[in-house]
């Protein structure tokens, strides 16, 4: 949650986000069968592994955001995506929230968050979007829920936490990693069934903030991240059935602030920061069954701190920093 801690106070008015024409031509990237690196996890997540990495297509759709934003919460709910909070120009947190219907190319404003935050995490729990933790002038513990009419503060994490990730599995939401304002990173894995009451259900072997994350076969995977201003290579897997976490592999390069996208039986690690001041366009394939990593090409532009939502067969990478907040939207398919 560095930027606002060093920068301006939070916004108090709702920003405007919309769809506009994008004059950029589509861009595509195809993976190549380069030599693989990394070690094998102790328990495969897939019984079999495809012979090679899936073909990857990254393109710019005909629309983009009308206002730059990064480090926002994003919650996919079928054909609609909820976007809330984030970092806008001037290193300020916004309370703004929107409902984005990707298929129709339509966006509508929602009432603002009760507490403006960025470096936050979003999750869908019991059919309702949650915005969990984050920061503005300081780290926050607040949990905010959309009830269909407005955003309500429904609970608090045991302590403040920004730069975190959240994952919904069944009727539980899990919070991993992050920063409380003093320690290098948070080790405790938290769980809740309602966003109000939270309990510790595990610990990360390598506490990090700004990790890329995704869920595959009921496990939460964390890739890289940051600790003491140093980007990491660790791949960590959390099993919510046992509460056990383990470092199962390492990325070929340190990276934080990236995104992770499951595609074709593998996980795409895209963009991020190789150090606090350098944004990358590199992409890598990670195989959960073997722990092996291989190059997957490049994004159209360097990008970090973006948000990811899955709508049908397409994964949308929304906003982010390149290095300033951007209006860019990318559509990723295999």
């Amino acid at each position: 949650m560095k930027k606002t801690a060093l920068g301006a106070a939070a916004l108090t008015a709702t920003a405007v986000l919309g769809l506009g024409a994008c004059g950029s031509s589509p861009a595509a990237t195809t993976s190549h069968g380069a030599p693989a690196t990394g070690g094998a996890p102790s328990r495969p997540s897939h019984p079999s592994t495809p012979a090679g990495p899936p073909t990857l297509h990254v393109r710019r759709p005909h629309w983009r955001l009308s206002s730059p934003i990064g480090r926002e919460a994003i919650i996919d709910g079928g054909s609609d995506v909820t976007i809330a909070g984030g970092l806008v120009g001037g290193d300020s947190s916004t309370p703004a929230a929107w409902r984005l219907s990707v298929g129709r190319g339509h966006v509508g404003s929602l009432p603002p968050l009760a507490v403006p935050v960025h470096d936050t995490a979003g999750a869908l729990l019991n059919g309702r979007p949650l915005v969990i933790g984050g920061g503005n002038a300081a780290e926050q513990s607040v949990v905010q829920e959309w009830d269909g009419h407005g955003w309500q503060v429904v609970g608090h994490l045991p302590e403040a936490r920004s730069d975190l990730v959240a994952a919904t599995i069944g009727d539980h939401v899990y919070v991993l990693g992050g920063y409380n304002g003093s320690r290098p990173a948070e080790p405790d894995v938290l769980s809740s069934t309602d966003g109000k009451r939270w309990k510790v259900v595990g610990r990360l072997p390598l506490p990090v903030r700004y990790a890329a994350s995704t869920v595959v076969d009921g496990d939460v995977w964390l890739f890289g991240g940051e600790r003491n201003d140093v980007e990491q290579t660790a791949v960590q897997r959390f099993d919510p059935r046992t509460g056990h976490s383990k470092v199962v592999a390492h990325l070929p390069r340190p990276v934080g602030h990236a995104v992770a996208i499951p595609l074709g039986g593998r996980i795409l690690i895209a963009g991020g920061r190789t150090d606090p001041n350098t944004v990358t366009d590199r992409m890598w394939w990670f195989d959960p069954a073997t722990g092996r990593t291989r190059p997957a090409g490049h994004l159209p532009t360097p990008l970090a701190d973006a948000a990811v939502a899955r709508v049908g067969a397409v994964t949308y990478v929304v906003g982010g920093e390149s290095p300033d907040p951007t209006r860019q939207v990318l559509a990723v398919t295999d």
Side-chain angles (χ1 to χ4, degrees):
M1 205 278 297
K2 301 173 193 169
K3 287 206 170 185
T4 297
L6 300 174
L11 294 180
T12 57
T14 301
V16 178
L17 179 73
L19 302 180
C22 177
S24 301
S25 58
T29 305
T30 303
S31 61
H32 301 281
T37 61
S42 58
R43 179 173 60 83
S45 290
H46 297 273
S48 61
T49 302
T55 299
L56 176 65
H57 302 280
V58 181
R59 63 179 179 85
R60 293 186 179 98
H62 67 277
W63 52 269
R64 61 179 176 175
L65 307 178
S66 63
S67 296
I69 193 167
R71 305 179 185 229
E72 73 273 29
I74 192 165
I75 306 106
D76 52 42
S79 60
D80 290 335
V81 175
T82 302
I83 302 171
L87 195 71
V88 295
D91 285 356
S92 297
S93 302
T94 178
W98 312 269
R99 179 67 50 78
L100 172 62
S101 297
V102 175
R104 295 187 295 123
H106 175 267
V107 67
S109 294
L110 296 177
L113 294 171
V115 180
V117 286
H118 74 277
D119 281 334
T120 184
L124 189 69
L125 184 64
N126 302 321
R128 289 187 172 181
L130 292 181
V131 175
I132 304 168
N136 40 54
E139 279 65 35
Q140 302 292 316
S141 64
V142 64
V143 179
Q144 305 179 71
E145 180 185 79
W146 171 255
D147 64 5
H149 304 284
W151 294 95
Q152 308 294 330
V153 174
V154 296
H156 289 268
L157 300 173
E159 60 182 347
R161 192 181 292 210
S162 66
D163 318 339
L164 68 163
V165 301
T168 302
I169 302 175
D171 58 358
H172 288 72
V173 61
Y174 297 90
V175 164
L176 302 92
Y179 178 61
N180 77 343
S182 59
R183 290 186 290 269
E186 291 301 290
D188 289 343
V189 180
L190 305 176
S191 177
S192 176
T193 57
D194 57 10
K196 303 173 184 178
R197 294 169 290 273
W198 296 83
K199 63 179 181 179
V200 177
V201 294
R203 288 177 66 87
L204 293 177
L206 180 66
V208 290
R209 52 200 288 210
Y210 296 119
S213 71
T214 193
V215 176
V216 175
D217 288 348
D219 291 340
V220 184
W221 293 79
L222 299 183
F223 298 89
E226 185 180 303
R227 183 177 175 85
N228 288 326
D229 294 331
V230 177
E231 269 53 48
Q232 304 293 312
T233 64
V235 178
Q236 304 183 72
R237 184 181 63 210
F238 168 68
D239 184 346
R241 296 165 289 265
T242 64
H244 180 66
S245 300
K246 185 177 181 180
V247 175
V248 296
H250 285 272
L251 301 173
R253 300 287 186 274
V255 68
H257 306 254
V259 296
I261 303 170
L263 284 171
R266 290 176 172 81
I267 300 170
L268 179 70
I269 315 302
R273 297 178 185 269
T274 55
D275 62 60
N277 299 311
T278 305
V279 179
T280 183
D281 63 357
R282 295 289 298 273
M283 298 190 294
W284 301 88
W285 285 117
F286 176 79
D287 187 342
T290 65
R292 297 173 72 82
T293 308
R294 64 179 68 198
H298 298 263
L299 291 167
T301 58
L303 185 67
D305 296 297
V308 172
R310 179 88 172 186
V311 180
V314 182
T315 300
Y316 291 91
V317 181
V318 180
E321 298 176 6
S322 189
D324 296 319
T326 177
R327 301 166 59 191
Q328 177 176 260
V329 177
L330 299 175
V332 182
T333 55
D334 57 3

